[in-house]
Amino acid sequence: MKRQLFYLIILVFTLSIQAQKPKTPSSTEIYESIQKLNFLGSVLYVAAHPDDENTRLIAYMSNKVKARTAYLSLTRGDGGQNLIGPELRELLGVIRTQELLAARRIDGGEQIFTRANDFGFSKHPEETLEIWNKDQVLSDVVLAIRKFQPDIIINRFDHRTPGRTHGHHTSSAMLSLEAFDLSNSNEAYTNQIEKYGLWQPKRIFFNTGWWFYGSRENFEKADKSNMRSLDIGTYYPLKGLSNNELASLASSQHLCQGFGRLAQRGSQQEYIEFLKGEPLNEGTQIFSGIDTSWNRIRGGQAIGEILEKIEGDFNFKNPSVHVPQLLKAYKLLQNIESKHWKTQKTKELISIIEMCAGLYLEVSAETNWATPNETINLNIEALNRSETPTTLVSLNNHEDLNISKEIVLKNNIKYPFKEVIKIPSSAKPTTPYWLTNKGSLGMYKVENEALIGLPETPRTFNLDFNLLIDNVPITITKPIVQRYSKPDKGELYRPFEIIPEVSAKITEKVIILDNNTQRDITVVVKAGRDNLEGAVEVYHPDDWNIYPKQQKVNIANKGEEQALIFTVIPPENQSEGIIGPIVHINDKDYTDELIEIAYEHIPFQTVLLPSESKIVRLDIKKKGENIAYIQGAGDVVPESLEQIGYNVRVLKPDEIDAETLSRFDAVVVGIRAYNTVEDLKFKQKELFDFVAQGGNMIVQYNTSHRVKVNDLAPFELKLSRDRVTEENAEVRFLNPGHPVLNFPNKITQKDFEGWTQERGLYFPNQWDDAFTPILSMNDKDDTPKDGSLLIAEYGKGHYIYTGLSFFREFPAGVSGAYRLFANMLSLGKDEFKAEAKIND
């Protein structure tokens, strides 16, 4: 029975996340909200990336302690890898932002960010803070503290160990500790003070553990007099879940990072080390000496007496009996001087009143998106599922809708309405606010200071339900959504968004031409409104030509697309640049692409970005034609190889056998395949036999942990965490005469120019003498790393292991990366037999 309950809870969490269905809380959830309403204390957890947060501790602080708890992630995780799809960089940051929000919906926390851009792995905080704008990021941390007003700050990482871990990690702790003092300084970031005031947290801690000491044995011996331990395995009978089970559900939302994991149960100690602030007496807990009751604020005692009585006498069978007293507390709260507590607790209290009264208020548009000047039909529903006297006085949206209703909402009688709104011509498209302006490698540019720190762009199209609840005026605001159904899914919800009247894209983000033969490209134009008419052209570098210069576009219905074919004529010599569509509609030009991100575990996302494609006339030669590709965590390497003329077939593990492999010149293994594809451990013999028979096998990077095969290579090969994060790091040729640097393309230093984000990662650091190391490189002040490209002859073929980041360079159109990869595929093919055609 308990297992069934657990899976039911998982299902409820999943559906609420994927569908964005309005919350209809149970009595136990209302009661827990009242408990949190009566705790006036807060905790800010600080780290660098999505997945850095300790969901066990966040869940504990939010659900056991009942503190308002937030996670401040300095970045959105843009520089990582994606295990569930092709999105990288900015789009990956959008996914990880939503995964964090999904996690917080489960563990009960809130989410905050800074403007720092995750530019990739950094070995030292000095490098990190050079690429980030330290002053701006520090300003954002101070702003988060002043706005959130935490009593307690907990750092995930240690500020005292620079160079020991990711530079972003240490930087997050260093900046948090510095902001601890600056947030209460009249001289620090004075532009924030008038609006948010000063704030001094009481204490700051480091969330330590055995991992920081190297082993459990070392941790047992460590002096813990300055630490506090918390049993974060506590069980919540009202939820039917332990804290660890809740935390596991939360962290499992980080699916693009492969964080889906088994739930944990039972007692477990978590440790925090006191760093700074008001000292703690031995044995006291972290909120010791901090008044977390309503007595904390002037005028709060009377409110507390009302709300504490409601908590003590809570009626689980009929929560609506508490509405009159809740309203009494609400009226008293409006006279509180503290702007911070008045704003926060009013928000919580209105939500509880709404829940106790059984109110269901919804506004659904007939479409999930609209364009400026468009008229939209709304379906509005108001329902009072209690005997609480409630009148719907009016509806308004602060634009063109302001309608008097004066309707008494009788118990369990649905009141549906149909209204119409017009989207203003000034309405801006819905897109992540941090992507609106072009930033730098280390920072996002946010011109509207009010948005800094917010996890996502606020919804501007909402509807106010102006109510009289037991003769007390209360306004409850609901965002416009789209409610719809699918036969195979049931009832679904999507956010309502504004899009431009037209968007366009070139279907290929990188276009590689390996000779001077002209090539057709496709421009897809999408209409955001009906009856779209205009013209399309493609801008391009001066030494390229595109024909025709302009084409007409005519689309009858919104949402439809029209594909236009343009011919690209390359120059005679190697050249590269950027091309993109320009759509002319009346007197306006549109150059953006509308990108849709749809995964079941996060809400549907629309992102508007400049529509650009890299175009490259590449001087490249290659041998061999037919390539088998074994997918791993997801990349665009197969499509990239097709761009330069290879026939590529993606093989599933069950297709890997001697007969199938015999049709190919080479097999390429995708990134992290040996970390993510369980069945490959049964296919290594067939792959090694393929190499012995004369084939080439190229294995791209895997992480050094959770390798699912016993033998990564036909010879000894051990992975490490070695990497070169500086994309411009010097590359030295260890074996300049090796064929891979000479045939069929002569590789020079120029081929390592223009690399993006990094040289490579997780290089081997131990290998058999059968391997020949080809390249040496290292970051500044680091030791040489010689394992980025290792080649071994095995039988008649070649086994190649590379940690070079081809998966990043190919989408960026880096010419040298293509040329080097072609040489890897061509090894031993100077005298090769005619290849059999692939049987698809």
Side-chain angles (χ1 to χ4, degrees):
M1 180 65 186
K2 185 171 181 180
R3 175 179 291 185
Q4 291 175 339
L5 174 63
F6 183 62
Y7 287 133
L8 177 62
I9 292 170
I10 292 176
L11 178 62
V12 170
F13 278 135
T14 303
L15 289 177
S16 66
I17 290 168
Q18 111 183 22
Q20 286 295 283
K21 190 173 182 176
K23 189 175 182 180
T24 52
S26 65
S27 291
T28 56
E29 290 174 301
I30 298 172
Y31 176 70
E32 288 179 307
S33 296
I34 293 171
Q35 288 181 310
K36 295 195 73 170
L37 182 67
N38 282 332
F39 190 93
L40 279 69
S42 52
V43 176
L44 183 66
Y45 196 88
V46 182
H49 310 107
D51 85 359
D52 284 345
E53 83 272 29
N54 185 341
T55 55
R56 297 183 300 273
L57 198 51
I58 291 175
Y60 180 88
M61 291 297 171
S62 179
N63 295 278
K64 175 64 175 177
V65 179
K66 305 301 180 183
R68 184 186 178 204
T69 308
Y71 173 42
L72 171 58
S73 177
L74 267 60
T75 77
R76 297 175 186 268
D78 325 73
Q81 288 86 51
N82 185 358
L83 298 186
I84 61 174
E87 296 90 354
L88 292 174
R89 292 301 303 149
E90 293 90 350
L91 297 180
L92 178 59
V94 173
I95 293 173
R96 291 190 171 182
T97 295
Q98 291 301 320
E99 288 183 339
L100 277 173
L101 289 171
R104 297 295 81 77
R105 284 190 286 268
I106 293 172
D107 62 30
E110 300 175 35
Q111 189 60 52
I112 309 173
F113 292 97
T114 75
R115 288 169 288 174
N117 190 342
D118 178 5
F119 55 83
F121 192 87
S122 176
K123 292 184 177 179
H124 199 280
E126 286 185 4
E127 179 198 35
T128 298
L129 297 175
E130 284 179 6
I131 296 176
W132 290 349
N133 182 319
K134 179 190 174 183
D135 186 65
Q136 286 187 5
V137 181
L138 180 59
S139 165
D140 292 353
V141 178
V142 170
L143 177 64
I145 294 172
R146 286 172 173 170
K147 289 175 67 175
F148 190 75
Q149 295 191 9
D151 298 302
I152 305 297
I153 295 177
I154 302 175
N155 289 343
R156 181 52 170 158
F157 300 105
D158 186 28
H159 65 285
R160 299 160 294 195
T161 55
R164 180 173 171 177
T165 183
H166 198 320
H168 296 181
H169 293 169
T170 310
S171 294
S172 71
M174 293 167 62
L175 293 172
S176 176
L177 198 69
E178 191 172 350
F180 180 83
D181 293 325
L182 291 179
S183 59
N184 199 37
S185 170
N186 278 307
E187 298 179 356
Y189 308 110
T190 54
N191 60 308
Q192 303 172 2
I193 296 174
E194 182 178 353
K195 186 171 183 180
Y196 301 107
L198 303 175
W199 182 252
Q200 180 58 62
K202 294 295 189 295
R203 300 179 181 103
I204 185 167
F205 295 86
F206 162 44
N207 184 192
T208 188
W210 68 263
W211 48 270
F212 177 71
Y213 289 82
S215 69
R216 296 183 188 276
E217 183 180 0
N218 290 342
F219 187 58
E220 289 295 324
K221 299 175 183 176
D223 178 9
K224 299 184 180 63
S225 59
N226 209 29
M227 298 183 193
R228 294 294 181 271
S229 65
L230 308 166
D231 184 356
I232 47 83
T234 185
Y235 179 68
Y236 303 127
L238 291 176
K239 296 179 184 295
L241 288 171
S242 70
N243 188 77
N244 276 341
E245 288 173 310
L246 196 66
S248 296
L249 287 170
S251 64
S252 290
Q253 300 309 305
H254 295 299
L255 295 183
C256 75
Q257 302 186 69
F259 266 52
R261 62 186 179 95
L262 290 171
Q264 297 178 346
R265 300 165 189 85
S267 178
Q268 183 179 347
Q269 297 299 311
E270 192 74 49
Y271 292 87
I272 54 175
E273 176 189 352
F274 175 75
L275 297 178
K276 199 173 188 179
E278 293 185 5
L280 282 170
N281 296 324
E282 186 174 351
T284 57
Q285 294 303 310
I286 64 174
F287 275 97
S288 176
I290 303 171
D291 189 350
T292 58
S293 72
W294 280 97
N295 295 330
R296 177 174 189 160
I297 55 178
R298 182 180 297 178
Q301 182 177 355
I303 299 171
E305 289 173 355
I306 295 170
L307 296 177
E308 285 159 17
K309 189 173 189 308
I310 292 173
E311 181 181 341
D313 300 333
F314 187 72
N315 189 326
F316 286 88
K317 291 184 178 180
N318 183 16
S320 66
V321 301
H322 301 297
V323 171
Q325 289 301 301
L326 289 169
L327 291 169
K328 184 178 179 180
Y330 169 79
K331 289 191 288 185
L332 291 173
L333 183 57
Q334 305 318 299
N335 298 319
I336 292 296
E337 293 179 8
S338 171
K339 181 180 179 182
H340 172 76
W341 288 114
K342 178 181 176 180
T343 300
Q344 179 59 30
K345 291 303 179 180
T346 295
K347 177 182 174 183
E348 294 177 32
L349 192 49
I350 288 177
S351 176
I352 291 171
I353 292 170
E354 179 185 1
M355 291 188 287
C356 284
L359 290 174
Y360 186 89
L361 308 170
E362 181 183 272
V363 51
S364 173
E366 292 183 347
T367 177
N368 73 300
W369 45 260
T371 57
N373 293 316
E374 186 174 356
T375 298
I376 298 298
N377 296 320
L378 301 178
N379 295 309
I380 302 168
E381 181 177 329
L383 177 63
N384 173 18
R385 291 173 288 193
S386 74
E387 295 294 342
T388 302
T390 304
T391 300
L392 176 60
V393 177
S394 63
L395 300 168
N396 71 274
N397 71 338
H398 304 284
E399 292 288 348
D400 61 334
L401 186 68
N402 194 348
I403 299 173
S404 177
K405 290 295 182 183
E406 299 296 339
I407 297 174
V408 175
L409 301 181
K410 297 179 181 179
N411 186 8
N412 210 30
I413 303 298
K414 183 173 73 171
Y415 293 87
F417 311 102
K418 290 187 179 293
E419 302 293 348
V420 176
I421 62 169
K422 184 176 181 180
I423 307 301
S425 59
S426 59
K428 295 181 179 180
T430 308
T431 192
Y433 69 86
W434 62 95
L435 300 179
T436 301
N437 299 295
K438 187 174 180 60
S440 64
L441 174 64
M443 296 296 297
Y444 283 118
K445 183 179 180 181
V446 181
E447 292 183 344
N448 184 349
E449 292 184 357
L451 296 175
I452 294 174
L454 298 182
E456 57 185 344
T457 305
R459 298 286 164 178
T460 55
F461 287 88
N462 306 300
L463 194 66
D464 289 343
F465 290 78
N466 302 307
L467 304 162
L468 274 179
I469 303 177
D470 207 3
N471 289 318
V472 177
I474 286 182
T475 295
I476 298 176
T477 302
K478 295 293 180 180
I480 298 176
V481 296
Q482 183 201 20
R483 180 164 67 99
Y484 65 106
S485 66
K486 288 187 176 181
D488 60 335
K489 298 285 187 181
E491 184 179 66
L492 297 172
Y493 285 77
R494 273 189 174 182
F496 177 74
E497 304 189 323
I498 305 302
I499 64 171
E501 62 178 333
V502 66
S503 58
K505 66 178 180 181
I506 297 175
T507 55
E508 298 168 294
K509 286 301 174 188
V510 178
I511 302 166
I512 306 291
L513 290 85
D514 60 352
N515 55 50
N516 58 4
T517 302
Q518 64 187 33
R519 176 174 165 185
D520 289 343
I521 61 170
T522 302
V523 174
V524 177
V525 181
K526 183 172 185 176
R529 62 170 174 81
D530 294 337
N531 303 316
L532 185 81
E533 294 185 7
V536 182
E537 64 176 293
V538 178
Y539 67 85
H540 55 83
D542 292 340
D543 55 343
W544 295 69
N545 287 297
I546 293 183
Y547 177 84
K549 182 177 180 181
Q550 194 175 87
Q551 296 190 56
K552 290 184 178 180
V553 62
N554 193 324
I555 305 175
N557 301 306
K558 66 181 290 187
E560 289 186 348
E561 297 179 341
Q562 182 177 344
L564 304 172
I565 305 299
F566 288 83
T567 300
V568 175
I569 304 170
E572 289 289 331
N573 300 315
Q574 184 161 314
S575 175
E576 61 183 59
I578 299 296
I579 64 172
I582 304 174
V583 185
H584 307 285
I585 305 293
N586 297 324
D587 59 346
K588 294 183 178 179
D589 293 341
Y590 296 88
T591 59
D592 287 338
E593 172 185 0
L594 186 68
I595 301 165
E596 298 178 345
I597 300 177
Y599 291 101
E600 289 192 347
H601 67 300
I602 60 174
F604 182 85
Q605 300 292 300
T606 59
V607 183
L608 204 62
L609 291 177
S611 183
E612 297 178 344
S613 293
K614 178 105 177 256
I615 191 160
V616 181
R617 161 67 171 93
L618 181 60
D619 180 14
I620 189 171
K621 302 180 181 67
K622 57 188 183 297
K623 295 291 185 179
E625 293 182 11
N626 300 323
I627 309 299
Y629 199 86
I630 301 170
Q631 286 185 324
D635 55 51
V636 295
V637 173
E639 298 88 336
S640 300
L641 295 178
E642 288 175 342
Q643 287 257 22
I644 57 173
Y646 285 105
N647 302 317
V648 182
R649 176 178 165 186
V650 176
L651 291 185
K652 297 178 180 178
D654 59 6
E655 296 178 291
I656 300 173
D657 56 43
E659 181 181 353
T660 301
L661 294 175
S662 67
R663 304 169 189 170
F664 300 98
D665 300 296
V667 173
V668 180
V669 181
I671 61 172
R672 298 183 67 174
Y674 290 130
N675 299 130
T676 59
V677 185
E678 191 83 32
D679 289 346
L680 283 182
K681 63 185 177 183
F682 306 117
K683 298 296 181 178
Q684 287 296 81
K685 183 180 184 303
E686 285 87 345
L687 291 168
F688 294 161
D689 287 346
F690 164 75
V691 179
Q693 295 301 314
N696 288 344
M697 181 178 177
I698 300 174
V699 179
Q700 298 177 88
Y701 98 94
N702 291 268
T703 61
S704 55
H705 61 290
R706 298 179 184 173
V707 178
K708 298 181 181 298
V709 298
N710 294 325
D711 298 313
L712 195 63
F715 306 103
E716 182 183 6
L717 184 69
K718 291 187 178 180
L719 303 181
S720 73
R721 297 183 66 84
D722 289 349
R723 62 175 77 205
V724 176
T725 63
E726 297 170 12
E727 61 266 41
N728 298 316
E730 178 191 4
V731 177
R732 299 174 293 276
F733 296 170
L734 296 175
N735 286 274
H738 195 282
V740 79
L741 297 177
N742 295 278
F743 179 83
N745 304 287
K746 179 68 174 177
I747 303 300
T748 69
Q749 292 295 331
K750 186 174 178 61
D751 290 296
F752 292 94
E753 294 177 2
W755 285 50
T756 181
Q757 186 161 325
E758 62 204 356
R759 289 295 190 195
L761 61 171
Y762 291 100
F763 298 160
N765 63 351
Q766 296 181 47
W767 52 84
D768 189 271
D769 289 343
F771 283 102
T772 299
I774 304 300
L775 306 172
S776 180
M777 58 189 72
N778 57 271
D779 289 321
K780 181 182 178 182
D781 299 327
D782 203 354
T783 57
K785 304 293 183 277
D786 296 346
S788 65
L789 178 57
L790 301 172
I791 300 175
E793 292 185 14
Y794 181 67
K796 300 177 183 178
H798 297 82
Y799 176 94
I800 304 165
Y801 189 92
T802 179
L804 294 172
S805 58
F806 290 103
F807 74 102
R808 294 198 191 280
E809 311 318 317
F810 283 178
V814 178
S815 302
Y818 280 91
R819 286 162 47 82
L820 179 57
F821 209 94
N823 280 14
M824 292 157 54
L825 292 169
S826 301
L827 277 175
K829 307 299 183 186
D830 46 334
E831 295 180 7
F832 63 96
K833 61 182 182 297
E835 296 81 11
K837 290 187 176 181
I838 301 175
N839 181 10
D840 289 323

